[in-house]
Amino acid sequence: MDFNKKVIAIVGIALVATGSWSCKKNNEAPQDKVDISNAYRNSSDADAAVIGIYGQFLNLHKTFILQNELRADLMSATANADPYMRQLSNHTATKDNPYVDPRPYYEVILNCNDALKNFKLMVDDHRMSVDDYNKHYSDIGALRSYIYLQVAVQYGSIPYITEPLENVDGIKNLSQYPRYNVNEIVDKLIDFVEKLPYKEVYAYPTGHPLMVTIDGNTTERMFISKPSILGDLYLWKNNYTKAAENYIKIFDFENTNPEFNKSFSWYKVVYTADQWADATVRYGRYQDESTLLYDVGWRTIFTLPTTNRVWLGEFLWGIPYSSDYKPGNPMVDLCSQQFGKYLVKPSQTIIDSWNAQRQNSGIPYDARGKLSYTTGTAGPEITKLTDNIALPSAFNKGGKWGLYRATLLHLRYAEAANRDGKGKLGWALLNTGVLNTFYSGTRNSAGSPAPVSFDDIATMRTPYNAPYFMDASSNTDFRGPWYRNTGIRGRAGITPIDVSYQTDMLGLEGKLIDEAALEMAFEGNRWPDLVRVATREDNPAFLADRVYQKLLKDGDPNAAAARAKLMTPANWYLPFDWK
C-alpha cells in the first residue's frame, strides 16, 4: 500500500472508531453504514486500526487531566470554570456532571475489543503474520488495560468487558454485567497483560510501518510501553519486586545502545549540559536567579518536538497532536489566558510547595515552579501543558500529550524499592543519585567521588541483587550505565531531604509523593498516586488532608465537608451512571 492509500485507510478507520458510536447515540440509523469487517484485510489495515484507536484515545486527554488533577490538590478551578468543574474540585460531583460520564472510556475500550477480536481472526486466516499479530494485539491490549486501570481508580466499581459489542449502547443494561472493585480489576489486568505475546519496552521496532515521522513528530514513543503498565499494576497490588522488575526493564533497555550517550543518559535522570539529556534546571550565572534559562534544560522536556533527543530520553510514552486538525490539544482551552478559556490554574498549595524548597545555590524556591506556570493578568496560568506548542494561537492547538516519562518511572520504582526494604535506593533516586549515595570512598574538594582504582569500583554500585542492582561505576577504564544518574532533586538543583528518611519507610513514601507534586504537577498522575498510597497505608487522611488544604487556600466553603467526605474511602469514587 502506498503512502497516500495508507493515509486514507488510517483516516477511514479513525472515522469508524470515533464516529460509529455517536451516529447511533439517539437510536438513529446511520446514513452510511460501514462494515468494519472489511477494514481488517491485511497488516496495513491493522496498522490503520491501531492509529485510529490511539486517535480516539486522545479524546480522553481532557477527562484524564480534570479527573486526575482537578480532583486532587495541585489544580484549582478559575472564576471562568463552570459549576461542574467546581464540583470536581470540591468533591460534590453529581451524576449529571458531564465530566464524570464513563461513556467515553468505554467507547475506546469497545473499539479495543473489536480490534483484538479482528486481529485474532486475521492471524487465524493468515491475513496477518504471527509476529505482526503479537505486536498489534499486545499494543492494543496494553492500552485497554491502561484505560481500565484509570476507570477503576476513578469509579471504584466497574464492569470489565472484554468482548466486542455492536455499539456502546449495547451495555446500557449494566445489571447483566458484574461489577469489580479496584483490587479485582487489577488482578484481572495483571493476568491479561502477563499473557500478552509481546511485552518489550517499545511496541514496534525500528523499521516497522508504524514507525514514521510526520510534521516533525515521530511515532517512536506514541505507543504504550508494556512494562510500564505492568509495573504500575504490580505497584497497586503491593507486589514491589515484580513492579521493580518491570520498571528496571525500561531503565536498562538502552544500556547496550551503541550510541554511548544514550546508554548512559536516556531514562536515567542525569545532570548534564550535553544535547543528549539536558533536562536540568540551570542558570546563566550561578546564584543569579534572574538568569534562569527557559530555552534549554528542564523546561525543554515539554517544549521540544518528539524527534529531539532530550524528549526521547525523557518520555517513554507521548502522543503528538496535529495542528491541522480540530479540536486539537484541549489543554489550550483549559489553561491559556490568551488563546483559551482559562478554566483551571495551579493551586495555591503547589505554588506554596515550590516556594518552600531551597536550591543548592541558596536560591529560596524550586525553579520548576517558574518553569511550569506564569502569572498573567487573570492570575496564575499553567504553561507546562501548553509550552509544547511551538507557536500557540487560537488556531494552532497542536503539541502533545505526555503520558509517561522517566521521572515518573523513577518515582514509582523508588516507591517500590522503599517498600521492598531498599529505602537507601529510593532515597538515592529521589535526591542525589546512585553514585553520590552509595560511594563510600574518598572525595575531591567539590564533594564528588575522587578517581578510583578498579578494585574500588564495587563501592559505586548498589549492594542489592536484581531488580535493585544499579551500577554507577566510574573510572578511566570503565563506566557503569548509572554513573551519570543525579537524582530527581539533584537534576532540579534542589537540596536533598535528610538522610534519616533512608530508614523511614512511611516518611520516605510521603516524600516521594510530595516530590511527584513538584516534578509531575498537572501531568495527570496525582489522583491515582494519592488513592494508591492512602489505600496501602490504610490512611484516608493522606488523601483527604491534601485536598482539604487546597480547598482551604482556595477559599472554598466546602473544604471541611470535602475532607469529612473523603475520610471514608468509599467516597473517593465518582458516581458510575450509564446514560
Side-chain angles (χ1 to χ4, degrees):
M1 177 180 286
D2 65 32
F3 180 77
N4 289 333
K5 288 183 178 178
K6 186 163 186 175
V7 170
I8 292 171
I10 289 173
V11 172
I13 294 295
L15 288 174
V16 170
T18 59
S20 59
W21 309 127
S22 59
C23 68
K24 297 181 181 180
K25 191 170 182 180
N26 297 314
N27 296 320
E28 298 174 358
Q31 296 296 315
D32 297 298
K33 186 174 181 179
V34 178
D35 182 0
I36 198 168
S37 64
N38 291 328
Y40 291 93
R41 296 164 298 181
N42 52 47
S43 288
S44 291
D45 290 340
D47 290 346
V50 169
I51 295 296
I53 288 171
Y54 273 87
Q56 190 188 25
F57 175 69
L58 269 180
N59 293 333
L60 298 177
H61 189 181
K62 179 178 178 179
T63 300
F64 262 65
I65 297 301
L66 291 179
Q67 290 186 354
N68 285 330
E69 297 291 345
L70 192 55
R71 297 183 70 211
D73 58 333
L74 310 181
M75 182 181 284
S76 296
T78 71
N80 297 339
D82 59 44
Y84 294 118
M85 283 190 183
R86 287 192 282 275
Q87 285 181 8
L88 274 187
S89 184
N90 65 21
H91 293 269
T92 58
T94 53
K95 291 182 178 181
D96 64 335
N97 188 315
Y99 303 116
V100 307
D101 183 6
R103 185 184 184 95
Y105 290 113
Y106 279 90
E107 289 178 355
V108 187
I109 287 169
L110 291 181
N111 277 310
C112 290
N113 292 349
D114 185 84
L116 295 176
K117 174 187 175 181
N118 279 283
F119 292 161
K120 184 65 169 64
L121 292 174
M122 290 176 72
V123 72
D124 289 346
D125 294 344
H126 307 291
R127 287 175 280 147
M128 177 191 283
S129 70
V130 172
D131 183 63
D132 266 347
Y133 166 77
N134 289 345
K135 292 180 173 63
H136 288 77
Y137 186 93
S138 300
D139 180 19
I140 297 302
L143 179 65
R144 186 187 70 180
S145 300
Y146 178 86
I147 297 169
Y148 261 129
L149 178 59
Q150 167 72 13
V151 179
V153 172
Q154 296 299 331
Y155 297 94
S157 178
I158 63 169
Y160 183 65
I161 302 165
T162 58
E163 295 299 319
L165 299 170
E166 181 180 354
N167 58 60
V168 76
D169 290 335
I171 57 171
K172 270 190 171 180
N173 184 12
L174 288 179
S175 62
Q176 63 180 299
Y177 295 96
R179 301 283 190 94
Y180 300 96
N181 63 32
V182 177
N183 192 52
E184 293 168 328
I185 288 290
V186 170
D187 284 337
K188 290 180 177 295
L189 296 178
I190 288 175
D191 180 68
F192 175 78
V193 178
E194 281 286 19
K195 293 175 181 175
L196 291 175
Y198 186 82
K199 292 184 287 186
E200 294 308 307
V201 172
Y202 301 141
Y204 305 97
T206 301
H208 190 279
L210 284 172
M211 293 291 100
V212 296
T213 298
I214 302 174
D215 295 333
N217 282 300
T218 176
T219 59
E220 187 175 344
R221 300 287 196 274
M222 175 176 164
F223 309 101
I224 188 171
S225 180
K226 268 75 71 178
S228 68
I229 178 60
L230 198 49
D232 288 352
L233 289 169
Y234 278 120
L235 193 61
W236 276 91
K237 285 298 294 182
N238 301 332
N239 189 335
Y240 308 114
T241 303
K242 291 292 291 184
E245 286 174 359
N246 282 280
Y247 293 143
I248 205 164
K249 184 176 182 180
I250 302 171
F251 284 142
D252 290 345
F253 192 79
E254 298 288 351
N255 286 0
T256 57
N257 195 307
E259 294 188 66
F260 74 91
N261 275 307
K262 291 182 181 179
S263 68
F264 293 134
S265 298
W266 282 13
Y267 305 149
K268 299 296 198 297
V269 180
V270 302
Y271 192 98
T272 176
D274 67 38
Q275 61 178 323
W276 293 97
D278 186 9
T280 60
V281 172
R282 61 179 66 257
Y283 293 79
R285 291 185 298 275
Y286 185 68
Q287 290 184 319
D288 184 351
E289 58 186 280
S290 69
T291 65
L292 177 65
L293 299 179
Y294 289 79
D295 55 349
V296 297
W298 193 84
R299 181 173 173 268
T300 62
I301 291 173
F302 312 100
T303 61
L304 291 172
T306 62
T307 52
N308 188 277
R309 290 166 174 169
V310 174
W311 194 90
L312 289 168
E314 178 74 14
F315 276 95
L316 54 131
W317 188 19
I319 307 176
Y321 284 95
S322 172
S323 60
D324 296 328
Y325 296 97
K326 294 181 178 181
N329 189 338
M331 297 304 105
V332 177
D333 273 347
L334 281 181
C335 303
S336 176
Q337 294 184 22
Q338 184 177 3
F339 303 118
K341 299 175 183 176
Y342 185 50
L343 303 174
V344 298
K345 62 182 179 180
S347 69
Q348 191 60 46
T349 292
I350 184 58
I351 292 174
D352 290 346
S353 295
W354 278 316
N355 289 339
Q357 306 303 310
R358 188 173 185 86
Q359 297 179 42
N360 293 319
S361 64
I363 295 175
Y365 55 79
D366 186 339
R368 287 174 295 182
K370 289 184 176 293
L371 300 173
S372 297
Y373 82 97
T374 188
T375 302
T377 56
E381 175 183 339
I382 297 169
T383 55
K384 187 184 196 180
L385 304 181
T386 56
D387 275 344
N388 56 33
I389 304 172
L391 295 170
S393 70
F395 304 102
N396 182 359
K397 296 182 180 179
K400 46 196 174 284
W401 181 9
L403 283 143
Y404 214 115
R405 59 188 179 97
T407 324
L408 178 63
L409 192 68
H410 278 243
L411 287 164
R412 291 189 173 165
Y413 178 85
E415 184 181 324
N418 176 50
R419 278 283 175 170
D420 217 6
K422 312 297 188 296
K424 188 173 182 178
L425 176 56
W427 188 96
L429 296 176
L430 171 63
N431 291 283
T432 60
V434 176
L435 178 59
N436 285 324
T437 302
F438 287 93
Y439 177 62
S440 57
T442 59
R443 296 178 181 269
N444 60 26
S445 59
S448 299
V452 296
S453 68
F454 195 82
D455 292 336
D456 294 329
I457 216 163
T459 65
M460 307 172 114
R461 298 166 174 164
T462 60
Y464 314 122
N465 296 323
Y468 300 111
F469 176 75
M470 291 179 166
D471 188 353
S473 305
S474 177
N475 68 7
T476 55
D477 300 310
F478 179 76
R479 294 285 189 274
W482 286 88
Y483 90 96
R484 292 182 178 177
N485 171 246
T486 192
I488 297 169
R489 291 175 71 82
R491 189 176 73 170
I494 304 300
T495 57
I497 65 172
D498 194 85
V499 294
S500 63
Y501 283 98
Q502 294 180 5
T503 54
D504 179 358
M505 185 180 65
L506 288 180
L508 182 56
E509 187 162 78
K511 289 295 184 181
L512 288 167
I513 298 302
D514 290 344
E515 190 66 27
L518 300 168
E519 173 74 25
M520 308 295 302
F522 323 130
E523 295 181 45
N525 303 289
R526 190 59 172 174
W527 185 256
D529 282 350
L530 296 182
V531 171
R532 183 179 65 256
V533 175
T535 300
R536 179 190 300 143
E537 295 185 0
D538 191 21
N539 179 17
F542 187 91
L543 179 152
D545 285 347
R546 284 169 167 81
V547 174
Y548 170 70
Q549 286 299 320
K550 178 192 83 167
L551 297 176
L552 191 66
K553 292 178 179 181
D554 284 349
D556 193 310
N558 198 63
R563 184 190 184 281
K565 180 179 181 179
L566 294 173
M567 286 300 292
T568 301
N571 293 329
W572 294 348
Y573 304 107
L574 296 170
F576 189 98
D577 184 47
W578 201 261
K579 298 177 182 177

